[in-house]
Amino acid sequence: MEKLTSLFVEHLTLLISQYGEWAVFLLMTAESALIPIPSEITMPFAGFLAGRGVLNFWIIVTIGAVGNVLGSVLAYWLGYAKGEIWIRLAIRKWGKWLLIRESELDVGMGWLQKYGHVVAFISRLLPVVRTFVSLPAGIAKINLLKFSILTFVGSFLWSSALAYLGLKLGQNWLAIEPYFRKFQFLIVGLGITAVIFYIYSHIKKRGE
């Protein structure tokens, strides 16, 4: 796995080295379009190249944020057009086995519709979550303009922080990647715990 990860990082950095801003734009777009290409590698390496004068720092930060917005809008529209239909059909067919009811989906959609713009902004500052948040936002049909603006702001802050770390760390830019990986594991662990608690509470409720 470690060898595979190193190979992935090597190809990613080679792509950025060869195509510069275009590579940053495409990679950051893909990250927000449900393709898990880590910005924790893309932006620090771009920042490192900016420190060497190969790229312009503020241009790559802006491009990274714009790419995130574009990818997010694509995922948003996928959720808007297809997501809810598929999810509702799946719940009707397998909901009793998945321990979820359609009424609970309605509650979730309502929550996202009411607070979605806040969720969208905060999630842009979190690894892993930032890749997938746009799909449920589209399903919930939250305001696209507000969603896009806050996505840009959150993504700009995230891209700036990562690129700045890469710029300051120089050739040691990759040293920050293990810390983000640990943060990702923490988020996934919390998510699994929440799912277990959710299943347990439903089973207990049905047994009463």
Side-chain angles (χ1 to χ4, degrees):
M1 178 62 71
E2 186 175 346
K3 185 177 181 180
L4 187 63
T5 301
S6 299
L7 189 63
F8 175 73
V9 172
E10 182 180 340
H11 279 78
L12 208 61
T13 54
L14 181 62
L15 187 67
I16 298 170
S17 297
Q18 290 181 339
Y19 298 101
E21 291 88 350
W22 282 108
V24 172
F25 176 74
L26 291 175
L27 292 171
M28 295 298 281
T29 298
E31 184 208 24
S32 286
L34 310 178
I35 302 173
I37 296 177
S39 55
E40 296 89 342
I41 295 174
T42 301
M43 293 311 302
F45 185 69
F48 162 63
L49 293 180
R52 296 181 61 187
V54 178
L55 300 174
N56 179 279
F57 180 84
W58 291 113
I59 289 178
I60 60 169
V61 167
T62 303
I63 286 175
V66 171
N68 268 175
V69 173
L70 176 59
S72 296
V73 170
L74 293 174
Y76 176 97
W77 279 112
L78 178 63
Y80 188 96
K82 301 292 184 180
E84 187 172 0
I85 296 173
W86 187 91
I87 289 173
R88 288 190 181 280
L89 289 174
I91 290 175
R92 289 167 188 168
K93 190 172 183 179
W94 301 298
K96 61 181 180 180
W97 304 109
L98 299 174
L99 302 176
I100 185 170
R101 295 180 291 270
E102 195 167 0
S103 60
E104 293 171 327
L105 176 65
D106 292 332
V107 172
M109 293 298 106
W111 187 83
L112 269 172
Q113 193 168 17
K114 189 173 183 179
Y115 304 107
H117 58 284
V118 177
V119 174
F121 172 74
I122 295 175
S123 67
R124 294 298 159 185
L125 307 176
L126 297 174
V128 182
V129 179
R130 66 194 314 277
T131 303
F132 303 103
V133 69
S134 303
L135 189 63
I139 294 172
K141 295 179 172 60
I142 66 174
N143 184 280
L144 179 58
L145 178 60
K146 187 180 293 186
F147 172 78
S148 299
I149 292 173
L150 291 175
T151 292
F152 177 80
V153 175
S155 298
F156 190 88
L157 294 174
W158 177 256
S159 297
S160 298
L162 290 181
Y164 183 76
L165 284 173
L167 186 148
K168 287 300 180 181
L169 287 172
Q171 292 184 345
N172 296 316
W173 65 272
L174 194 57
I176 67 172
E177 194 271 337
Y179 296 99
F180 281 102
R181 193 189 311 142
K182 291 178 181 178
F183 191 34
Q184 291 176 359
F185 290 155
L186 174 62
I187 293 173
V188 172
L190 290 174
I192 292 174
T193 302
V195 169
I196 293 174
F197 176 77
Y198 176 78
I199 293 174
Y200 171 76
S201 63
H202 272 63
I203 292 176
K204 186 177 179 181
K205 184 183 295 185
R206 291 184 181 186
E208 293 176 351

